[in-house]
Amino acid sequence: MAYVFDRRPYMSLKNLSLLTKVVLVAGTIGLVAIAGAGYFGWQTSNVSSNYQDLLQNDAQVPFLLARANRNMSEVIGSLYKNAASTTEKDNADAVAARDKAKGTAVEYFSEAATILPDRASEIKGMEAQFEAAMDGSCGQVAKLSQSTDTAQNLQALQMLIADCQPAIVKVQEAVTSFNDGIVKGVAAQVQENATTVSQTIWTTISGILLATLGIIALSVIVMRSSVTQPLAFLLRQMRAMQDGDYSVKIDNRDRKEEIGRIAN
């Protein structure tokens, strides 16, 4: 004959020892704390990744374009120097400075477009405007101003003031406006990250606190129903027997933990 054992009494919560119940409560609270820490770590990792992306991309672009603006100003300065030069050496120095400033400005435009591909077309457009100015009115100024003839230099200076410089300044204004937009976007992202961190902190603290209070409340209910009340009832039965009432039926004798052992 096969014997079937009913394991349910052994699996019941009431059959767990007091120490086990305490360990379960503490362990559950510990798991909640670990979950909260994991959530906080995940969110802060996302924020850290966003900051890293800003520093390596968006935040770099304004610096590069500001340098491009500076080099465009140096181009204008070199053209003025050309127009004011009275010797071949001065003209050669001004041409070398202009070529270097122009090349460096183009490099900064290209680097900025590479770092910020989503807005590369806008950056390339500003670069194209600068190149067009250098090939157009500024190119004519450069040719005229390479002479040491006073009349020709005066003509170059007039063209520089009337056409070339305004064309380059227009590009510089576009670059400045573009930079302002990038800086505002970076500032908004920084503020969003700060808000996310603040919300994560409060969400984590609130979640852990509420979960801990819930676990404590549930533990009190469970401990009261499975330990405190049965123990109080057992004590009343034992007092009755102590007073001579041996007809009292002792309950909870089937329990496998401390109360069951006392009842037996």
Side-chain angles (χ1 to χ4, degrees):
M1 178 182 295
Y3 291 95
V4 179
F5 296 96
D6 186 1
R7 299 178 180 271
R8 287 175 296 178
Y10 294 90
M11 300 298 292
S12 175
L13 182 62
K14 70 179 183 179
N15 289 318
L16 298 177
S17 67
L18 291 175
L19 178 60
T20 302
K21 292 171 183 175
V22 171
V23 170
L24 282 176
V25 172
T28 304
I29 293 175
L31 289 175
V32 168
I34 292 172
Y39 169 76
F40 182 80
W42 171 65
Q43 286 287 60
T44 52
S45 175
N46 289 338
V47 170
S48 176
S49 177
N50 287 338
Y51 273 124
Q52 186 175 4
D53 184 63
L54 282 176
L55 292 174
Q56 293 179 349
N57 297 294
D58 295 41
Q60 289 292 324
V61 170
F63 292 103
L64 294 171
L65 294 182
R67 290 169 182 168
N69 254 357
R70 183 188 64 195
N71 280 275
M72 286 189 283
S73 294
E74 290 176 359
V75 168
I76 295 174
S78 69
L79 288 170
Y80 272 107
K81 183 177 181 180
N82 258 146
S85 295
T86 57
T87 65
E88 294 296 336
K89 181 180 183 307
D90 288 342
N91 272 332
D93 290 343
V95 169
R98 180 173 64 254
D99 290 343
K100 180 180 179 181
K102 177 186 174 182
T104 305
V106 170
E107 288 177 2
Y108 283 136
F109 275 122
S110 298
E111 188 176 351
T114 301
I115 290 176
L116 201 63
D118 292 344
R119 304 189 66 178
S121 60
E122 297 176 68
I123 298 172
K124 288 293 185 181
M126 292 183 288
E127 179 186 349
Q129 291 176 21
F130 172 60
E131 296 273 17
M134 293 303 300
D135 293 338
S137 59
C138 294
Q140 295 177 9
V141 170
K143 290 179 182 178
L144 288 172
S145 62
Q146 289 183 32
S147 171
T148 57
D149 180 69
T150 304
Q152 193 168 333
N153 280 348
L154 180 60
Q155 183 184 358
L157 182 61
Q158 291 173 339
M159 187 177 293
L160 172 60
I161 295 172
D163 300 318
C164 173
Q165 184 173 355
I168 293 180
V169 168
K170 185 177 180 180
V171 179
Q172 290 179 308
E173 290 174 347
V175 170
T176 300
S177 177
F178 183 87
N179 270 356
D180 289 342
I182 294 294
V183 170
K184 288 179 181 178
V186 171
Q189 186 63 54
V190 169
Q191 181 60 44
E192 182 180 343
N193 286 343
T195 301
T196 299
V197 170
S198 178
Q199 290 177 344
T200 300
I201 291 173
W202 286 110
T203 299
T204 302
I205 293 174
S206 300
I208 292 176
L209 179 61
L210 290 175
T212 301
L213 291 176
I215 293 170
I216 291 174
L218 181 61
S219 300
V220 169
I221 294 173
V222 171
M223 293 292 283
R224 183 177 180 182
S225 62
S226 65
V227 177
T228 307
Q229 289 180 344
L231 185 59
F233 187 66
L234 179 59
L235 290 174
R236 287 197 298 270
Q237 292 175 323
M238 292 175 66
R239 289 195 190 98
M241 293 179 63
Q242 186 179 3
D243 293 338
D245 185 2
Y246 297 105
S247 64
V248 175
K249 181 182 178 182
I250 303 299
D251 295 326
N252 295 312
R253 298 181 65 183
D254 60 329
R255 296 175 63 146
K256 308 302 177 184
E257 32 77 271
E258 291 87 351
I259 294 178
R261 288 197 291 271
I262 293 173
N264 285 303

